[in-house]
Amino acid sequence: MNIHDQQHGAVTVLKPDGPISQDGANVFKQRLFTALDQSLGRVVVDLSAVPFVDSLALEVFADANAELSAGGQVLRFCNINETLREVFDLTGMGSHFEQFDEVNSAVRSFL
């Protein structure tokens, strides 16, 4: 799995390419937490190129969200496909994150 990052002003957008599963979950976690530290929590995860996630990925999302919530923030996702939306809904995790249709609206949510 490749993880692309892009700066939009003070906001970092991470775009993983491929499934976030057992093999890539730890790599993604390291990149996500590094980005959270460097951008003071201003991170958007673009899921447009992620076909599915497993339970380890959901754990990474929950851990990141718990760290952010200590500072009054939440993890932001954009471009979520139907499969991922169903996973979030079935696990009850969807209500714990902010979800946006596209990158620009997610980035603007930090203003």
Side-chain angles (χ1 to χ4, degrees):
M1 170 183 58
N2 292 320
I3 304 168
H4 309 281
D5 58 67
Q6 189 175 36
Q7 286 300 124
H8 291 257
V11 179
T12 301
V13 177
L14 293 180
K15 184 178 180 182
D17 187 0
I20 304 174
S21 57
Q22 185 172 356
D23 297 332
N26 285 329
V27 172
F28 180 73
K29 181 177 184 174
Q30 290 175 335
R31 289 286 297 276
L32 177 59
F33 277 81
T34 298
L36 290 172
D37 287 342
Q38 291 176 345
S39 65
L40 303 174
R42 293 181 299 259
V43 174
V44 173
V45 180
D46 180 351
L47 296 173
S48 61
V50 177
F52 67 90
V53 297
D54 69 4
S55 59
L56 287 176
L58 294 175
E59 188 176 315
V60 168
F61 297 158
D63 289 347
N65 202 52
E67 185 167 307
L68 285 168
S69 68
Q73 297 178 310
V74 296
L75 190 57
R76 290 168 168 87
F77 293 108
C78 67
N79 295 318
I80 302 169
N81 66 38
E82 277 303 309
T83 301
L84 296 180
R85 195 172 306 279
E86 280 186 43
V87 168
F88 285 167
D89 290 344
L90 290 172
T91 60
M93 294 185 75
S95 62
H96 297 280
F97 310 117
E98 286 191 27
Q99 301 174 37
F100 299 88
D101 291 333
E102 45 89 29
V103 172
N104 288 332
S105 60
V107 169
R108 283 193 308 268
S109 72
F110 285 99
L111 299 177

